[in-house]
Amino acid sequence: MSARIAVGTTPAQLKTLAIRRYEATTGTRWREATDAAKRKWLAKTGPVIRAEEGIAADAVWRDGAWQPAGQTDLFSLTNTDTEVST
């Protein structure tokens, strides 16, 4: 289980790592697994992988980065619909 993902791990990268582990552990291809088996595996390994990557269990993916749960962005850089006039 030494496969690591670079800093700034996205949710998609976490899922990819979980899939790799599934295939390495079970010897079965991910696409051959049942939906129930996939859900069970992701629920089991998701928290473990997040902990290994240093991502808090309650962290939320927002604006391209992991944010603490409940954190409010005072200055959202992704909302460019409005412009502040000076």
Side-chain angles (χ1 to χ4, degrees), residues 16-73:
T16 299
L17 185 53
I19 291 169
R20 286 183 198 155
R21 285 191 184 181
Y22 177 84
E23 292 177 345
T25 303
T26 65
T28 305
R29 304 226 28 180
W30 182 253
R31 63 177 162 220
E32 297 169 356
T34 64
D35 288 340
K38 290 177 182 180
R39 283 191 301 273
K40 184 178 178 182
W41 182 263
L42 291 174
K44 176 182 169 185
T45 60
V48 173
I49 293 171
R50 285 173 67 123
E52 290 172 357
E53 295 294 324
I55 302 168
D58 62 345
V60 179
W61 180 259
R62 185 175 50 239
D63 295 333
W66 291 103
Q67 305 291 331
Q71 177 176 322
T72 303
D73 289 338

